[in-house]
Amino acid sequence: MELRIELEGYLELTMDVGSLAPQISELVREANEKFRESAQGETSETAVIVEYSGEGRRLKVKIISGGKLRAHDAFLRFKNMLVEKLGPSLRVGVREIFIDKLIVEVVGEHVSLQAAEEKLKGVAEVSIKDDTLVLIFKNLSDHDIRDRVVDRAIRLVRVEEKAVEKAEKLAPFGTVLIKGIEKPFMFSGEISTEAEKLSWVKRYPGRGQWIFTSPMTALLRTLSEMLIDYVAKPLGFQEWMFPRLMPFEVFKKLSTYIEHLPEGLFYVCAPPRDPSAFEEFKREYTLRKELRRDLLKNILEEPGYILEAVQCPPFYQYFSGEIVRLEDLPIKVFEVLGGWTWRNEAGGVEGIVRTNEFWRMEMVFLASPEETIEIRNKITEKSIELVDKILDMEWRLVAGAPFFLSPEEASKRLIDISSFDKIPTLDVEVYLPYRGQRDRAEWLEITAATVHRDFYVKAFKIREAKNREIWTGCIGHGLTRWATGFLARHGFNFEDWPKEVRNRIKELPKPPRTVT
């Protein structure tokens, strides 16, 4: 099989491209020379920058290549060369790299057009031209390139696919990896509806917000303590407390969230420390009992904060700009006392399982690459043991998509599931009978266990003393979701609950009573 690749994209620099014309011309010449050297005589297989131009701060490039040094990899190399060559002397940086269009021509043996369309649906446009299979990718980010989206797609359309599958087993996000045994359920209805009838919870006027009364709170606290006792402490995690109001200074380092899910966050505007600024607002309320939002718009500053949506960024910020030694790692932390986290949930809210305001426990760690994967896998294993053996719930383990990927983005990607070590996120899910039959229903994710590789290390400029590689990972346990799965399995009768849960709670408190 032979490959021909054509790339059109740009690098967003920190200064105008026109002021760097001589330096960029020399850099392109040098890059092409290095690309030729890497081909080791196979010039038709290497990459060449055939065109480049400037438009403001955007350096546009066109690269063609064969299959040995592929155009998208050459694009990344060119970006690194630009930073290394022009950064120290001219203080030139690269804010973003982006591929508008990438055309891959697969010459020789390949799968049929129909098979290629099925395998790459939502990932690339597919066509046949003179027995050559043509794949067209559009709007690829830096993350897409590093995540090997293009290379995995190419593997899928090769005739040699079966041989490749011995080394890689490519599958979409959502693939079920292992399942626990089926178990009977004491309650088949919608949990929050029943909990509300029993006064265990009550809706708050805000979208996706709830008040939890004493019985539900007792269950939630017990589940959090069991996670600490059975998972966090045995694995050597220490407890911290994190802020929940994220300044834009930290937010701007979370590039993937900004690129993929800005609509899923809540933005906060700070008020001026000037009581007189609110005089008209206060007067309008006093006279008319109205809250004049239009007046607030003129008083408040522009958004300067984010309500915390993922809980772990304060850990990375703690080490931002710091130097650590591999010998002092791993650093393992769990956090639950900071309170709620917030997301503007897509697709509407659903009871207490999909809410805008929710309670979770976060486990986050900094370690060597090998130890990061090992810690993540051990946490997943112990979490499943707690779900299965102690809480007696039905579960399954799924290859999950990281939070920062929208469902649309996740649907475009394939991952290697031949080993747990290669899967970026492992999701523990439980079954809810009210959602339908097991084999068709959407199961409820209660824990997401993610390896970030070096993404946050680079974003927050965390350094290792000898420049050895270090990674981060995090596990989010959605405590209200754990409670929902628990109540679906065991019902609302305290006497039917597992022995250890009853022993920890001792006596389930009664909810408040009102005349109405």
Side-chain angles (χ1 to χ4, degrees):
M1 183 192 72
E2 179 185 343
L3 293 178
R4 291 197 295 263
I5 305 175
E6 181 179 307
L7 176 154
E8 294 179 10
Y10 65 83
L11 298 88
E12 183 87 25
L13 307 186
T14 54
M15 64 173 60
D16 195 277
V17 175
S19 63
L20 301 168
Q23 292 88 347
I24 290 176
S25 177
E26 174 60 23
L27 187 68
V28 170
R29 185 200 64 77
E30 186 176 339
N32 282 337
E33 181 61 34
K34 287 187 176 295
F35 296 162
R36 279 194 294 272
E37 290 174 2
S38 69
Q40 298 177 344
E42 299 178 57
T43 53
S44 63
E45 288 293 295
T46 193
V48 180
I49 301 173
V50 294
E51 293 179 17
Y52 66 94
S53 62
E55 185 178 287
R57 294 188 174 186
R58 289 188 176 182
L59 174 58
K60 295 186 173 183
V61 297
K62 181 176 180 180
I63 304 175
I64 60 172
S65 78
K68 188 164 187 177
L69 174 58
R70 299 178 179 181
H72 44 287
D73 291 322
F75 192 37
L76 284 179
R77 289 193 190 183
F78 180 63
K79 174 248 187 179
N80 293 336
M81 286 181 63
L82 190 149
V83 173
E84 291 171 7
K85 297 289 184 180
L86 305 186
S89 58
L90 300 175
R91 296 188 177 181
V92 180
V94 178
R95 294 187 185 277
E96 177 189 27
I97 71 170
F98 195 81
I99 297 176
D100 297 301
K101 182 188 290 188
L102 185 83
I103 302 173
V104 178
E105 295 184 355
V106 183
V107 184
E109 295 191 34
H110 51 71
V111 299
S112 68
L113 176 61
Q114 181 180 355
E117 287 175 336
E118 290 175 357
K119 293 173 183 292
L120 302 184
K121 183 178 180 181
V123 179
E125 298 174 10
V126 181
S127 61
I128 292 280
K129 180 182 178 182
D130 299 330
D131 294 329
T132 295
L133 187 65
V134 181
L135 314 178
I136 301 178
F137 302 83
K138 294 181 179 179
N139 302 326
L140 299 177
S141 66
D142 184 344
H143 190 277
D144 293 322
I145 305 169
R146 296 183 188 279
D147 206 31
R148 317 309 297 172
V149 171
V150 174
D151 300 291
R152 286 176 175 156
I154 293 171
R155 289 193 189 104
L156 279 180
V157 300
R158 294 159 66 175
V159 166
E160 303 93 335
E161 182 186 358
K162 290 183 180 179
V164 174
E165 284 183 345
K166 294 179 181 178
E168 285 197 358
K169 186 177 179 181
L170 300 177
F173 287 115
T175 299
V176 177
L177 305 170
I178 49 175
K179 293 177 67 174
I181 61 172
E182 291 188 8
K183 298 181 179 182
F185 282 77
M186 298 293 290
F187 188 80
S188 60
E190 206 278 320
I191 297 300
S192 59
T193 301
E194 183 67 16
E196 197 165 16
K197 288 180 183 177
L198 297 172
S199 294
W200 286 29
V201 302
K202 190 170 185 178
R203 293 178 188 272
Y204 203 58
R207 178 178 182 268
Q209 292 181 291
W210 293 83
I211 299 168
F212 295 92
T213 65
S214 48
M216 184 66 83
T217 301
L219 174 59
L220 285 166
R221 178 174 288 279
T222 298
L223 292 173
S224 70
E225 290 173 351
M226 293 177 79
L227 274 164
I228 293 169
D229 293 343
Y230 279 98
V231 181
K233 287 186 176 179
L235 293 177
F237 278 72
Q238 297 181 334
E239 186 168 16
W240 288 19
M241 286 182 68
F242 294 159
R244 290 295 194 273
L245 195 61
M246 183 195 300
F248 266 37
E249 176 187 351
V250 178
F251 179 49
K252 68 182 181 182
K253 300 175 184 178
L254 308 180
S255 60
T256 50
Y257 303 122
I258 299 171
E259 292 167 3
H260 294 294
L261 281 174
E263 71 280 7
L265 306 172
F266 287 97
Y267 300 84
V268 179
C269 303
R273 292 300 301 165
D274 177 10
S276 65
F278 289 87
E279 287 299 332
E280 187 178 359
F281 177 75
K282 291 185 288 186
R283 184 174 61 252
E284 286 293 306
Y285 180 75
T286 302
L287 293 173
R288 298 181 174 85
K289 296 301 178 185
E290 291 183 6
L291 294 175
R292 291 279 302 279
R293 300 184 190 188
D294 58 317
L295 295 178
L296 284 178
K297 290 180 181 180
N298 299 325
I299 299 170
L300 300 177
E301 299 175 2
E302 293 182 349
Y305 298 88
I306 301 293
L307 288 180
E308 183 59 68
V310 288
Q311 201 166 332
C312 51
F315 178 84
Y316 317 129
Q317 181 62 31
Y318 180 89
F319 294 100
S320 182
E322 302 287 353
I323 299 173
V324 297
R325 294 191 318 152
L326 200 58
E327 290 77 11
D328 298 326
L329 303 182
I331 297 169
K332 299 183 285 187
V333 167
F334 75 89
E335 201 271 353
V336 72
L337 288 178
W340 303 106
T341 48
W342 294 268
R343 294 180 197 168
N344 185 24
E345 284 288 0
V349 296
E350 179 191 344
I352 62 172
V353 301
R354 183 175 289 118
T355 58
N356 283 2
E357 183 177 61
F358 53 97
W359 194 45
R360 64 205 292 269
M361 174 177 149
E362 189 81 0
M363 303 175 70
V364 58
F365 38 97
L366 177 68
S368 68
E370 297 77 16
E371 199 161 18
T372 298
I373 295 171
E374 182 182 356
I375 293 169
R376 190 277 303 269
N377 291 350
K378 283 183 177 178
I379 293 171
T380 304
E381 180 183 338
K382 284 192 168 293
S383 298
I384 290 173
E385 285 180 6
L386 174 59
V387 170
D388 187 24
K389 307 299 183 185
I390 311 299
L391 298 176
D392 192 21
M393 294 159 62
E394 185 175 335
W395 60 275
R396 71 184 188 185
L397 188 66
V398 170
F403 159 71
F404 58 79
L405 284 184
S406 65
E408 295 76 16
E409 285 294 322
S411 67
K412 299 176 184 178
R413 304 189 181 203
L414 298 168
I415 55 171
D416 182 3
I417 63 169
S418 60
S419 164
F420 285 178
D421 293 357
K422 297 179 179 181
I423 301 173
T425 299
L426 298 172
D427 284 344
V428 181
E429 297 183 343
V430 295
Y431 174 57
L432 298 179
Y434 77 85
R435 287 184 170 180
Q437 297 179 356
R438 284 178 174 83
D439 58 342
R440 298 179 184 176
E442 177 189 359
W443 287 44
L444 179 65
E445 173 201 319
I446 62 171
T447 289
T450 300
V451 171
H452 310 124
R453 302 177 70 88
D454 62 356
F455 178 81
Y456 287 118
V457 170
K458 289 182 176 179
F460 285 81
K461 294 182 170 57
I462 306 170
R463 294 172 53 203
E464 200 282 325
K466 297 181 180 178
N467 292 320
R468 290 171 289 188
E469 193 169 16
I470 50 177
W471 288 5
T472 63
C474 78
I475 283 76
H477 303 286
L479 294 169
T480 45
R481 292 186 172 196
W482 277 67
T484 300
F486 178 89
L487 290 170
R489 169 74 176 95
H490 299 293
F492 288 83
N493 183 5
F494 183 65
E495 298 305 318
D496 293 329
W497 291 5
K499 182 178 180 181
E500 180 159 348
V501 177
R502 287 186 282 112
N503 288 344
R504 283 175 177 259
I505 295 177
K506 294 183 173 62
E507 181 179 351
L508 192 68
K510 297 185 183 303
R513 290 186 177 184
T514 62
V515 175
T516 51

